[in-house]
Amino acid sequence: MIDLNFIRQNPDKVKTTLLDLNITAPIDEILDLDQKRRELLKKVEELRRERNSGSKVIGQLMREGKKEEANAQKQRMTDIGEEIKGYDETLRQIEADLTDKQLYVPNMPTEGVPVGPDEHHNVEIRRWGDLPKFDFAPQPHWDLATNLDIIDFERGVKISGSRFYLFKGLGASLHRALVNWFLDTAINEHGYTEIYPPFMVREKAMVGAAHLPKFRDNMYYDTEDDYWFIGTAEVPLSNIFGDEIFDAEQLPIKYVAHTPCFRREKMSAGRDVRGIKRVHQFEKVEMYHYTLPEDSYDHLEMIVGNAENLCKKLGLPYRVIEICTGDLGFAAAKKYDVEVLVPGENGEGEWMEVSSCSNVEAFQARRANLKFRRERGAKPEYLHTLNGSGLPSGRILIAVLENYQQADGSIVIPEVLRPYMGGREIIK
RNA sequence: GGAGGGAUGGCAGAGUGGUUGAAUGCGGUGGUCUUGAAAACCACUGAGGUCGCAAGGUCUCCGGGGGUUCGAAUCCCUCUCCCUCCGCCA
């Protein structure tokens, strides 16, 4: 959610920005509702004030035993009460409508975000490493994994349908090794506190994280108990401190969580259907920061740096790109993606997104009501939150398989993972 | 799943229809006293909306929502959450 005051004071700027973002939102309706709301509020408050003071008089009169005067006063108050009731009803509708519409307004990109209509206008910031030199034709991960019998696609599909799979034997070990190494690195080297959150949340949490109401179609939902299944740990992490007020010195807070991620992938039917790149259930280690507003952009660099560090230690070539306005999405004010380079289906090399690091500024903080106080007695302010993948174990497993493959189809295990696999050096 | 009991300010805990946005205690902040500290004493100490340049005014909020009433923390309905007992259970 963005500040209603900001929309009110900069309507044209907001509208222009929406064009850059390639997102539509009912700004004029919002302005109209906002104005109606304030007009009504004024009337209703005036009437309430009258009633409050008028009702006190009744109490006074009763105590003094002046029954008739009290009754006359009661009648006047009844009339005012009726009037208030009418206005209240309208006001309630307007406020509900206004809030609902505000929930569809995206965040405003920060100064300096490249302007462009789509992902082709993202800007490469830096690049690290090179694709390994293969003196043979590299295979895609689904062939490697099937031949090594470490991923069973057919039986995953048998159990749960398309876009499901199962890890088997050393495939499952490798996956688990990645998760544990991501977590340990985050905790021991990057200074995070680990959280094990719920994977099913109520609607309020989804709205707080800005995944609802707009992205309803991409999420699994249990109709019987009203639970939403998280598509990322960002959802529970962003709601932990809802309706709480921090002292400034308690910030920043850096959390890391490993969770499954459930995604319907409705919008990408037919894309990336082979392998485990785009699936309904995967696991991810997610970084999440709560910061003072003035520190959030430093933290964005920290988060992306942490994601890069993981790629470097795994020996995976990558690039960092800054996302342009048209590709920025709903919640981010600024976003970096980290993409690793893998041989891909045809062996020529392709970029695969493995981390998305966003500063959402106060966008989630407003929705989830996350605040801090600069000093005792100061007015509470919204804090800033950031999120970044660190990293998705399934996609990194793809990268490890494809980049560390040998001519005989075996996989050399990256050194950092070997302690997590009983010292094993190769999968064959 | 069944039965019962709860939800009040940072915390604890009063308050069952009329100056109660809320006693009291603890905590916190400032001050007095003290060489300093402690103790004692005094004062202050919730959030949001709206109007206003401001000072300040005004409205709302006692788990959420709705209702009764001139007036609700107090009465009614409903939802959520917590606790206790029974049942089931990794």
Side-chain angles (χ1 to χ4, degrees):
Chain A
M1 198 131 77
I2 64 171
D3 191 355
L4 185 54
N5 272 312
F6 183 83
I7 302 178
R8 195 187 295 151
Q9 285 155 16
N10 310 281
D12 294 331
K13 189 173 178 197
V14 171
K15 287 181 197 171
T16 314
T17 304
L18 286 175
L19 294 176
D20 289 342
L21 290 172
N22 210 2
I23 294 176
T24 53
I27 300 303
D28 285 326
E29 287 99 315
I30 286 172
L31 290 170
D32 185 46
L33 287 166
D34 173 54
Q35 195 181 336
K36 279 188 185 144
R37 171 176 170 270
R38 284 182 298 148
E39 281 168 10
L40 266 174
L41 207 55
K42 220 167 146 181
K43 283 186 199 164
V44 158
E45 284 188 4
E46 174 59 26
L47 288 170
R48 281 222 181 86
R49 191 175 64 81
E50 255 181 73
R51 186 176 68 179
N52 286 346
S53 52
S55 290
K56 277 176 191 168
V57 172
I58 293 174
Q60 193 89 32
L61 292 170
M62 299 285 265
R63 256 173 277 134
E64 290 166 8
K66 297 175 180 168
K67 269 233 164 88
E68 279 168 38
E69 283 179 56
N71 283 335
Q73 180 72 355
K74 267 193 198 179
Q75 187 52 52
R76 282 194 287 274
M77 292 304 110
T78 310
D79 295 343
I80 291 180
E82 287 305 314
E83 213 177 333
I84 290 175
K85 209 177 235 176
Y87 282 130
D88 256 350
E89 181 54 35
T90 323
L91 195 57
R92 201 149 43 206
Q93 282 168 11
I94 286 175
E95 285 184 340
D97 202 7
L98 179 61
T99 307
D100 182 66
K101 288 197 162 56
Q102 275 184 272
L103 290 177
Y104 283 91
V105 179
N107 205 358
M108 298 287 109
T110 194
E111 196 70 32
V113 169
V115 175
D118 54 43
E119 70 269 21
H120 301 297
H121 295 77
N122 293 340
V123 175
E124 183 171 315
I125 302 291
R126 55 186 168 267
R127 199 183 272 226
W128 182 91
D130 292 302
L131 203 60
K133 297 273 182 285
F134 298 104
D135 49 12
F136 56 91
Q139 305 175 63
H141 72 279
W142 51 85
D143 287 338
L144 289 164
T146 302
N147 292 336
L148 289 166
D149 195 23
I150 58 173
I151 301 180
D152 189 335
F153 292 100
E154 281 181 31
R155 295 194 176 92
V157 169
K158 178 161 72 180
I159 299 167
S160 300
S162 70
R163 293 199 191 281
F164 285 94
Y165 56 95
L166 54 92
F167 290 136
K168 179 181 176 189
L170 290 173
S173 292
L174 178 59
H175 180 256
R176 187 157 46 87
L178 283 165
V179 168
N180 283 331
W181 178 71
F182 292 155
L183 282 171
D184 286 347
T185 307
I187 295 161
N188 300 323
E189 288 184 36
H190 300 155
Y192 287 83
T193 301
E194 184 180 358
I195 298 290
Y196 174 89
F199 307 152
M200 295 138 78
V201 302
R202 39 174 54 138
E203 182 168 314
K204 186 173 193 253
M206 280 295 180
V207 173
H211 289 220
L212 279 179
K214 202 175 164 73
F215 304 109
R216 188 165 245 112
D217 287 349
N218 206 17
M219 291 184 295
Y220 289 102
Y221 173 62
D222 167 47
T223 52
E224 191 160 342
D225 290 320
D226 273 352
Y227 285 127
W228 293 85
F229 289 65
I230 61 171
T232 160
E234 178 195 341
V235 173
L237 291 177
S238 59
N239 280 276
I240 291 175
F241 299 109
D243 301 322
E244 295 185 32
I245 301 172
F246 287 100
D247 295 330
E249 56 270 23
Q250 292 176 279
L251 301 172
I253 289 170
K254 294 163 62 183
Y255 281 160
V256 67
H258 158 233
T259 69
C261 304
F262 303 103
R263 300 191 183 181
R264 293 180 67 198
E265 296 295 353
K266 261 214 143 161
M267 308 304 282
S268 45
R271 255 171 75 193
D272 304 317
V273 284
R274 298 204 71 182
I276 59 167
K277 185 173 169 189
R278 193 176 296 277
V279 287
H280 291 310
Q281 172 193 319
F282 61 94
E283 297 192 19
K284 180 160 61 68
V285 171
E286 179 81 1
M287 303 175 277
Y288 198 87
H289 293 208
Y290 294 82
T291 77
L292 295 174
E294 59 270 32
D295 295 340
S296 64
Y297 281 95
D298 290 341
H299 278 261
L300 180 61
E301 300 302 322
M302 274 169 57
I303 287 190
V304 75
N306 292 341
E308 290 179 67
N309 190 33
L310 293 168
C311 293
K312 277 182 196 162
K313 289 191 166 179
L314 280 171
L316 298 174
Y318 69 84
R319 67 177 181 182
V320 176
I321 56 177
E322 182 176 356
I323 304 302
C324 75
T325 53
D327 195 29
L328 196 58
F330 189 63
K334 179 171 180 170
K335 172 152 60 171
Y336 292 120
D337 276 2
V338 178
E339 300 179 336
V340 298
L341 186 58
V342 294
E345 186 162 5
N346 53 22
E348 288 168 5
E350 63 182 47
W351 296 103
M352 175 172 64
E353 181 189 328
V354 295
S355 183
S356 195
C357 303
S358 303
N359 183 0
V360 306
E361 295 190 354
F363 194 71
Q364 287 173 333
R366 275 200 195 84
R367 290 178 167 238
N369 198 19
L370 310 168
K371 296 187 164 177
F372 75 99
R373 242 188 286 260
R374 291 199 181 270
E375 54 201 51
R376 216 159 279 286
K379 192 177 157 63
E381 299 171 46
Y382 289 113
L383 45 76
H384 281 195
T385 62
L386 305 94
N387 62 80
S389 335
L391 293 162
S393 39
R395 284 202 175 174
I396 296 298
L397 190 136
I398 294 176
V400 168
L401 295 185
E402 295 194 358
N403 284 21
Y404 281 87
Q405 63 180 296
Q406 308 298 304
D408 63 357
S410 65
I411 311 292
V412 171
I413 298 170
E415 263 178 60
V416 292
L417 298 178
R418 292 178 191 172
Y420 292 84
M421 294 190 71
R424 181 177 287 275
E425 295 175 10
I426 196 161
I427 297 175
K428 58 179 173 187

